[in-house]
Amino acid sequence: MIPDEREWQAQERAMQCERAGLEIPASDTLGTAYLAVAQALNQAPEPLLPADFAARVAALAASGRQATEIESRLERFLLLGLSAAFGVCALAAVVIYGSNWLGNSFSMLAQVGTLNLAWPMALAACLGVSWFSEAVRRRMTDEPAHPV
Protein backbone atom coordinates (compact mmCIF):
# COMPACT_ATOMS: atom_id res chain seq x y z
CA MET A 1 0.00 0.00 0.00
CA ILE A 2 1.38 3.43 -0.93
CA PRO A 3 1.70 6.03 1.86
CA ASP A 4 -0.85 8.44 0.39
CA GLU A 5 -3.45 5.68 0.26
CA ARG A 6 -2.84 4.82 3.93
CA GLU A 7 -3.34 8.47 4.85
CA TRP A 8 -6.52 8.65 2.80
CA GLN A 9 -7.93 5.46 4.34
CA ALA A 10 -7.11 6.69 7.86
CA GLN A 11 -8.96 9.92 7.12
CA GLU A 12 -11.95 7.99 5.80
CA ARG A 13 -12.00 5.67 8.83
CA ALA A 14 -11.93 8.67 11.15
CA MET A 15 -14.78 10.37 9.28
CA GLN A 16 -16.90 7.18 9.29
CA CYS A 17 -16.28 6.59 13.00
CA GLU A 18 -17.18 10.19 13.80
CA ARG A 19 -20.42 10.02 11.78
CA ALA A 20 -21.40 6.68 13.36
CA GLY A 21 -20.34 7.75 16.86
CA LEU A 22 -17.87 4.88 17.20
CA GLU A 23 -14.46 4.86 18.85
CA ILE A 24 -11.30 4.24 16.84
CA PRO A 25 -9.14 1.43 18.27
CA ALA A 26 -6.08 2.69 20.16
CA SER A 27 -3.86 0.62 17.87
CA ASP A 28 -4.90 2.80 14.92
CA THR A 29 -2.65 5.77 15.73
CA LEU A 30 -3.04 7.37 12.30
CA GLY A 31 -6.84 7.14 12.48
CA THR A 32 -6.82 8.53 16.02
CA ALA A 33 -4.86 11.55 14.82
CA TYR A 34 -7.45 12.22 12.10
CA LEU A 35 -10.38 11.71 14.50
CA ALA A 36 -9.71 15.12 16.07
CA VAL A 37 -9.83 16.68 12.61
CA ALA A 38 -13.09 14.84 11.80
CA GLN A 39 -14.64 16.03 15.08
CA ALA A 40 -13.63 19.62 14.35
CA LEU A 41 -15.14 19.38 10.86
CA ASN A 42 -18.47 18.18 12.26
CA GLN A 43 -18.81 21.16 14.60
CA ALA A 44 -20.12 24.38 13.12
CA PRO A 45 -17.91 27.40 13.77
CA GLU A 46 -19.27 29.92 16.23
CA PRO A 47 -20.45 33.11 14.55
CA LEU A 48 -18.27 36.16 15.08
CA LEU A 49 -21.16 38.61 14.84
CA PRO A 50 -21.76 41.19 17.56
CA ALA A 51 -24.58 40.49 20.00
CA ASP A 52 -26.73 43.35 18.66
CA PHE A 53 -26.19 42.50 14.97
CA ALA A 54 -29.82 41.58 14.28
CA ALA A 55 -31.09 44.74 15.98
CA ARG A 56 -28.68 46.91 13.98
CA VAL A 57 -29.71 45.29 10.68
CA ALA A 58 -33.39 45.68 11.55
CA ALA A 59 -32.84 49.35 12.42
CA LEU A 60 -30.98 49.89 9.14
CA ALA A 61 -33.79 48.23 7.17
CA ALA A 62 -36.46 50.24 9.02
CA SER A 63 -34.68 53.54 8.41
CA GLY A 64 -34.55 52.93 4.66
CA ARG A 65 -30.93 54.05 4.49
CA GLN A 66 -28.39 52.14 2.52
CA ALA A 67 -25.18 50.79 4.01
CA THR A 68 -23.19 52.50 1.24
CA GLU A 69 -23.99 55.95 2.58
CA ILE A 70 -20.58 56.29 4.24
CA GLU A 71 -18.85 55.22 1.04
CA SER A 72 -20.75 57.71 -1.09
CA ARG A 73 -19.97 60.54 1.36
CA LEU A 74 -16.26 59.77 1.07
CA GLU A 75 -16.46 59.56 -2.70
CA ARG A 76 -18.36 62.87 -2.89
CA PHE A 77 -15.72 64.52 -0.70
CA LEU A 78 -12.87 63.15 -2.84
CA LEU A 79 -14.63 64.16 -6.06
CA LEU A 80 -15.22 67.67 -4.73
CA GLY A 81 -11.54 67.96 -3.74
CA LEU A 82 -10.41 66.68 -7.13
CA SER A 83 -12.71 69.10 -8.94
CA ALA A 84 -11.43 72.01 -6.87
CA ALA A 85 -7.81 71.04 -7.58
CA PHE A 86 -8.58 70.77 -11.30
CA GLY A 87 -10.21 74.19 -11.28
CA VAL A 88 -7.23 75.76 -9.48
CA CYS A 89 -4.81 74.15 -11.94
CA ALA A 90 -6.86 75.34 -14.93
CA LEU A 91 -6.96 78.87 -13.54
CA ALA A 92 -3.21 78.78 -12.86
CA ALA A 93 -2.54 77.61 -16.42
CA VAL A 94 -4.56 80.50 -17.85
CA VAL A 95 -2.83 83.01 -15.56
CA ILE A 96 0.70 81.69 -16.26
CA TYR A 97 0.40 81.08 -19.99
CA GLY A 98 -2.09 83.81 -20.82
CA SER A 99 -4.05 83.54 -24.05
CA ASN A 100 -1.50 81.12 -25.51
CA TRP A 101 -2.20 78.35 -23.00
CA LEU A 102 -3.66 76.02 -25.62
CA GLY A 103 -0.62 76.31 -27.89
CA ASN A 104 1.73 75.67 -24.98
CA SER A 105 -0.29 72.59 -24.06
CA PHE A 106 0.14 71.18 -27.57
CA SER A 107 3.88 71.86 -27.51
CA MET A 108 4.16 69.98 -24.21
CA LEU A 109 2.24 67.04 -25.71
CA ALA A 110 4.79 66.90 -28.54
CA GLN A 111 7.48 66.13 -25.96
CA VAL A 112 5.67 63.00 -24.72
CA GLY A 113 7.68 60.75 -27.05
CA THR A 114 11.04 61.87 -25.67
CA LEU A 115 12.76 59.92 -22.90
CA ASN A 116 11.67 61.65 -19.74
CA LEU A 117 10.93 60.31 -16.27
CA ALA A 118 8.15 62.81 -15.58
CA TRP A 119 5.41 60.71 -17.19
CA PRO A 120 6.31 57.41 -15.50
CA MET A 121 6.54 59.25 -12.20
CA ALA A 122 3.13 60.84 -12.81
CA LEU A 123 1.69 57.41 -13.60
CA ALA A 124 3.20 55.96 -10.43
CA ALA A 125 1.79 58.86 -8.42
CA CYS A 126 -1.68 58.33 -9.90
CA LEU A 127 -1.56 54.61 -9.13
CA GLY A 128 -0.36 55.33 -5.60
CA VAL A 129 -3.12 57.85 -4.94
CA SER A 130 -5.70 55.43 -6.36
CA TRP A 131 -4.44 52.60 -4.15
CA PHE A 132 -4.36 54.86 -1.09
CA SER A 133 -7.88 56.17 -1.63
CA GLU A 134 -9.18 52.59 -2.05
CA ALA A 135 -7.42 51.56 1.17
CA VAL A 136 -8.98 54.51 3.01
CA ARG A 137 -12.42 53.65 1.61
CA ARG A 138 -12.10 50.02 2.70
CA ARG A 139 -10.96 51.02 6.16
CA MET A 140 -13.88 53.40 6.56
CA THR A 141 -16.43 50.80 5.44
CA ASP A 142 -14.95 47.95 7.55
CA GLU A 143 -14.78 50.03 10.70
CA PRO A 144 -17.66 52.51 10.61
CA ALA A 145 -17.27 55.61 12.72
CA HIS A 146 -20.94 55.58 13.80
CA PRO A 147 -22.89 52.57 15.01
CA VAL A 148 -25.81 51.84 12.72
Side-chain angles (χ1 to χ4, degrees), residues 11 14-15 18 31-43:
Q11 292 172 10
M15 288 298 288
E18 175 61 27
T32 306
Y34 283 115
L35 184 61
V37 174
Q39 290 170 344
L41 288 174
N42 278 339
Q43 295 175 357

Side-chain angles (χ1 to χ4, degrees), residues 80-144:
L80 181 63
L82 184 62
S83 299
F86 180 74
V88 168
C89 289
L91 183 63
V94 170
V95 168
I96 292 171
Y97 295 112
S99 61
N100 197 17
W101 67 272
L102 188 60
N104 288 338
S105 298
F106 285 132
S107 68
M108 283 192 292
L109 285 175
Q111 298 174 1
V112 170
T114 63
L115 182 59
N116 190 355
L117 290 180
W119 288 106
M121 293 298 285
L123 176 64
C126 288
L127 291 175
V129 167
S130 175
W131 173 83
F132 180 73
S133 65
E134 179 67 16
V136 168
R137 184 192 67 79
R138 283 187 181 169
R139 181 152 177 92
M140 288 185 73
T141 56
D142 287 345
E143 300 170 10

Side-chain angles (χ1 to χ4, degrees), residues 25 30 46 70 76 80 123-124 126 135:
L30 196 55
E46 292 188 26
I70 294 173
R76 277 193 299 245
L80 181 63
L123 176 64
C126 288

